[in-house]
């Protein structure tokens, strides 16, 4: 089973979309193994988005992510990294397909409501940035036997 890092950004929380977003992930059969609401510090935001530090939108991105609480999640499931990226949709919500989270709830790239890790390497890095090992839970869901084909 693969773990990935998801963050509901400040606009998702402010717009009271937590329930709707989490429902989409859960109903697909994915499992929440860690969850935390926090105010992202400037240092954490800069570390998380380090690959964009030279981009023109970097300052706005840091201001946006640190502006109000976020909900950080670790999600587990088969192929969860690719799958959550599909559920989340394209970075620019105007290019995101209807039916995706960004395609249904957002309009601007700089206010695209949710983050999902884009590779196994970034998932591992981002999970470690936001969670200690003892905050990530290892448990079985009763419906796993019926969601997954037998191995
Ligand atoms: P991703 O979130 O879909 O992985 P990235 O290219 O890694 O997309 O960008 C990280 C975040 O930076 C985006 O989700 C968005 O919030 C912000 N961002 C990316 N490109 C732009 C832009 O052109 N204008 C404003 N914000 C941007």
């Amino acid at each position: 089973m693969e773990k990935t890092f998801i963050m509901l950004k400040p606009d998702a929380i402010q717009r009271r979309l937590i329930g709707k977003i989490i429902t989409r992930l859960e109903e697909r059969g994915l499992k929440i193994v860690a969850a935390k609401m926090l105010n992202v510090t400037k240092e954490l935001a800069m570390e998380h988005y380090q690959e964009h530090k030279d981009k023109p939108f970097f300052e706005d991105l840091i201001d946006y992510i640190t502006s109000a609480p976020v909900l950080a999640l670790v999600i587990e499931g088969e192929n969860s990294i690719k799958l959550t990226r599909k559920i989340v949709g394209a970075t620019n919500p105007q290019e995101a397909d209807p039916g995706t989270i960004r395609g249904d709830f957002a309009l601007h790239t700089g206010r695209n409501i949710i983050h999902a890790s884009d590779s196994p390497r970034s998932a591992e890095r981002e999970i470690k940035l936001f969670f200690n090992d003892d905050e990530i839970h290892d448990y079985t869901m009763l419906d796993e036997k019926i969601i997954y084909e037998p191995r």
Side-chain angles (χ1 to χ4, degrees):
M1 287 296 159
E2 187 173 70
K3 288 186 180 64
T4 191
F5 176 70
I6 300 286
M7 176 168 58
L8 274 54
K9 297 180 179 179
D11 44 345
I13 315 294
Q14 295 293 319
R15 293 174 55 201
R16 305 172 198 266
L17 291 172
I18 292 176
K20 281 189 176 153
I21 294 172
I22 286 185
T23 296
R24 289 181 179 217
L25 300 169
E26 283 194 300
E27 285 184 346
R28 189 65 191 265
L30 293 165
K31 175 163 75 175
I32 298 168
V33 295
K36 184 192 286 186
M37 184 178 269
L38 73 153
N39 285 302
V40 177
T41 62
K42 194 168 178 191
E43 294 67 38
L44 178 57
M46 289 174 78
E47 180 76 33
H48 176 68
Y49 283 123
Q50 59 176 233
E51 66 174 301
H52 297 298
K53 67 178 182 341
D54 298 323
K55 306 267 174 65
F57 58 82
F58 187 65
E59 202 178 322
D60 176 67
L61 178 59
I62 300 305
D63 287 348
Y64 158 52
I65 291 299
T66 58
S67 64
V70 303
L71 187 73
L73 302 166
V74 180
I75 298 283
E76 190 180 273
E78 194 174 291
N79 213 10
S80 65
I81 298 171
K82 277 203 178 131
L83 189 57
T84 53
R85 292 285 293 185
K86 274 195 191 167
I87 296 170
V88 163
T91 305
N92 178 350
Q94 302 203 8
E95 280 160 22
D97 290 331
T100 64
I101 292 170
R102 287 170 174 166
D104 287 350
F105 296 123
L107 278 174
H108 274 182
T109 306
R111 299 291 180 272
N112 62 5
I113 77 169
I114 183 166
H115 166 85
S117 305
D118 62 3
S119 67
R121 210 166 142 203
S122 52
E124 197 186 335
R125 188 181 82 85
E126 291 165 3
I127 290 170
K128 281 212 180 93
L129 270 180
F130 283 81
F131 290 95
N132 298 321
D133 285 349
D134 64 2
E135 294 173 315
I136 302 171
H137 300 274
D138 183 11
Y139 67 103
T140 304
M141 284 287 207
L142 295 176
D143 62 11
E144 277 170 23
K145 275 192 184 147
I146 204 159
I147 287 179
Y148 291 100
E149 293 169 4
R151 282 149 213 274

